[in-house]
Amino acid sequence: VKKGVLYNAIDISAKEIAAVSAIVRRNSHEIIDISRELNPCSGIKNGTVYDLGLLSESIALVLNKLSLSAGSPIKPLYVSIQGAGISSSHYTAMIALSERSNKIITSGDIAKVNYEAYCLGLSLAEQLVHQFPQEYTIDEQKKALNPSGLYGHKLASDLLCITALNTDVGNLAAAIDRAGFKVKDFVLSPYATSLAVVSSENKRKGCCLLDIGFEATYLLVFKDGILRGFEQFNIGSRSITEAVANELNLSYDLAENISISYANAVADNVDPEQEVLVKKDQLYRPIKRRLVCSVVEHKLKELFNEVDKRLVVYQKMFDFPCGIIVSGRAASLEGLLESIELSFQLPAHLAKIENVALSDMGFAGALGLIQYAISQRHEMQLFKLSSYGNIFQKLIHKSREIYHEYF
């Protein structure tokens, strides 16, 4: 692409696939052109592929449409991953830097101690998706977010690692391959969303992202610009709709329509006499709107109780002046922000896509994948065109690193 770099991404959930193709300016990393497609998805549940053929058909359909609308072929994809097979853990490790004297800590030392940490923690059934360094400890005393250039005898790291099951990753890659496309990288879906809707300033000051998805809800905790915690809960918008359907003896689709149009997260906000006419078996029958809201409120309280158990742990370590940013399928539910503020005693805000002329939150995850792709390219450029300048300066710097490694 002459005018920029082309990136393609798909955000896959059990309900739908959001696909985005973006052209990014080479120097400024600004998105200058964007195409999008949204299609229903089949063949995957809770992040696990149960029908390879159905999923590959869903992927092929949306990506072929995207290729036509973008007017360009689909390059290797950045793909979201989520589901029950995702887990997060803190892994730690320590390495000796020098036996004789203090040593300047290099980028190689940092990479080595991080590698040791997640290798010690990972099981054979898991695959590393992301690693987020929390802090480093030098000589078992001094703490540092970035120890590069400091002196020490020993270096320890604390990593927050996000892992996925090898089988889930392999099956998702196989479905994309069968559809005729290739995977460039996998990215945790709610983390991708955070890249599109949470500002760097909010991450630095301290905030939480509550992403209410179709099958699950995710809590991401940010402080000092670092992802400090990731939690997932098996209640999503589908659970809320199913509760309404079961309580009122309605079909899922009808319960979903009623929830979207009439639900409120705080039942007391609704007039107790207000009714909703529901068509069932060719007949209309009235249902108290507050009854619908009570079911939704009860299910949300069940979710918020689970979230609160984890959130209070983080609140003992960090403060969150920027409060809770709410995204996902149920984010626009009337009364939801009020309910969250009452439940967690933190300010709540509705997520919005940052700095891009694309306001449809259904594409937040896919757009976040594009932002992730841009950041990866930017990091590679920084590595290639580092502050060490030309090739001779780079060789001098590398020689110094080798010297400090052994002397």
Side-chain angles (χ1 to χ4, degrees):
V1 181
K2 291 183 179 180
K3 56 183 178 179
V5 182
L6 177 67
Y7 296 105
N8 303 115
I10 52 171
D11 184 28
I12 302 173
S13 76
K15 187 175 180 65
E16 59 199 11
I17 301 175
V20 166
S21 181
I23 298 173
V24 178
R25 205 180 300 278
R26 293 181 188 275
N27 295 327
S28 65
H29 308 293
E30 172 193 1
I31 295 176
I32 54 179
D33 191 20
I34 192 163
S35 302
R36 58 181 180 169
E37 293 291 340
L38 188 69
N39 258 58
C41 183
S42 300
I44 190 168
K45 185 177 181 180
N46 291 325
T48 299
V49 179
Y50 67 84
D51 191 313
L52 201 64
L54 284 176
L55 181 57
S56 63
E57 285 176 15
S58 300
I59 292 168
L61 183 62
V62 71
L63 288 178
N64 288 331
K65 288 172 66 177
L66 181 66
S67 181
L68 287 173
S69 62
S72 59
I74 302 299
K75 288 191 171 185
L77 296 156
Y78 286 84
V79 182
S80 71
I81 188 166
Q82 57 183 297
I86 299 292
S87 62
S88 65
S89 299
H90 280 268
Y91 299 147
T92 59
M94 178 182 288
I95 60 170
L97 297 170
S98 174
E99 294 180 358
R100 288 171 289 183
S101 63
N102 279 347
K103 174 188 179 298
I104 294 177
I105 298 169
T106 67
S107 58
D109 296 320
I110 296 170
K112 183 179 178 181
V113 74
N114 288 345
Y115 179 77
E116 291 278 343
Y118 71 72
C119 279
L120 288 171
L122 276 179
S123 75
L124 293 176
E126 294 175 321
Q127 180 171 322
L128 183 70
V129 181
H130 300 291
Q131 57 170 338
F132 301 99
Q134 302 298 292
E135 66 177 9
Y136 296 90
T137 305
I138 304 166
D139 296 340
E140 302 180 33
Q141 293 178 340
K142 294 174 286 186
K143 306 287 185 180
L145 291 178
N146 181 8
S148 181
L150 300 177
Y151 286 84
H153 289 281
K154 296 177 182 178
L155 179 65
S157 69
D158 175 11
L159 292 185
L160 173 64
C161 291
I162 309 294
T163 60
L165 294 176
N166 289 328
T167 51
D168 290 344
V169 175
N171 288 334
L172 193 52
I176 293 167
D177 187 66
R178 182 181 285 195
F181 303 94
K182 297 294 180 184
V183 177
K184 176 72 173 179
D185 206 355
F186 286 105
V187 181
L188 179 68
S189 181
Y191 177 65
T193 298
S194 76
L195 296 176
V197 304
V198 185
S199 69
S200 298
E201 183 69 6
N202 283 347
K203 289 176 183 176
R204 184 186 66 79
K205 290 180 178 178
C207 70
C208 302
L209 175 67
L210 190 66
D211 185 25
I212 305 175
F214 180 60
E215 293 184 303
T217 294
Y218 306 96
L219 177 70
L220 283 78
V221 176
F222 294 95
K223 186 69 177 180
D224 305 317
I226 299 168
L227 180 67
R228 297 294 190 176
F230 167 73
E231 307 286 343
Q232 60 179 326
F233 311 91
N234 61 359
I235 297 175
S237 61
R238 182 168 69 179
S239 307
I240 297 169
T241 302
E242 287 174 346
V244 173
N246 293 335
E247 181 68 25
L248 303 180
N249 193 25
L250 302 173
S251 69
Y252 179 89
D253 290 342
L254 184 54
E256 185 175 43
N257 290 336
I258 290 172
S259 297
I260 291 170
S261 302
Y262 301 105
N264 192 305
V266 183
D268 286 345
N269 288 348
V270 175
D271 182 349
E273 299 304 317
Q274 188 177 0
E275 293 183 333
V276 178
L277 283 177
V278 176
K279 186 178 181 181
K280 187 179 180 185
D281 301 327
Q282 305 303 314
L283 297 173
Y284 286 91
R285 64 184 177 103
I287 294 176
K288 294 290 185 183
R289 185 186 173 196
R290 180 173 278 193
L291 177 58
V292 176
C293 299
S294 295
V295 176
V296 171
E297 182 180 45
H298 177 76
K299 200 67 183 176
L300 284 172
K301 282 185 176 178
E302 183 182 334
L303 169 63
F304 294 162
N305 285 339
E306 292 301 310
V307 173
D308 191 54
K309 290 175 186 176
R310 300 303 306 148
L311 185 57
V312 293
V313 175
Y314 293 106
Q315 285 180 301
K316 291 176 182 177
M317 297 181 283
F318 311 110
D319 62 326
F320 303 111
C322 298
I324 298 174
I325 299 164
V326 189
S327 66
R329 301 187 59 83
S332 58
L333 175 66
E334 192 177 346
L336 180 64
L337 297 184
E338 178 187 348
S339 177
I340 288 172
E341 289 183 341
L342 289 170
S343 297
F344 304 116
Q345 300 300 304
L346 285 170
H349 316 277
L350 197 61
K352 62 178 182 178
I353 292 174
E354 296 275 326
N355 304 322
V356 175
L358 176 62
S359 59
D360 188 342
M361 285 298 296
F363 290 91
L367 189 60
L369 290 169
I370 299 294
Q371 301 289 1
Y372 178 85
I374 294 169
S375 71
Q376 294 298 104
R377 181 179 177 85
H378 185 52
E379 285 178 13
M380 287 180 65
Q381 287 177 336
L382 287 176
F383 177 75
K384 291 176 182 176
L385 304 171
S386 64
S387 58
Y388 313 140
N390 62 41
I391 185 64
F392 299 106
Q393 289 171 309
K394 289 179 184 179
L395 287 172
I396 291 169
H397 176 83
K398 191 62 183 176
S399 298
R400 285 174 179 166
E401 283 200 353
I402 293 170
Y403 176 84
H404 287 297
E405 184 74 36
Y406 296 102
F407 299 101

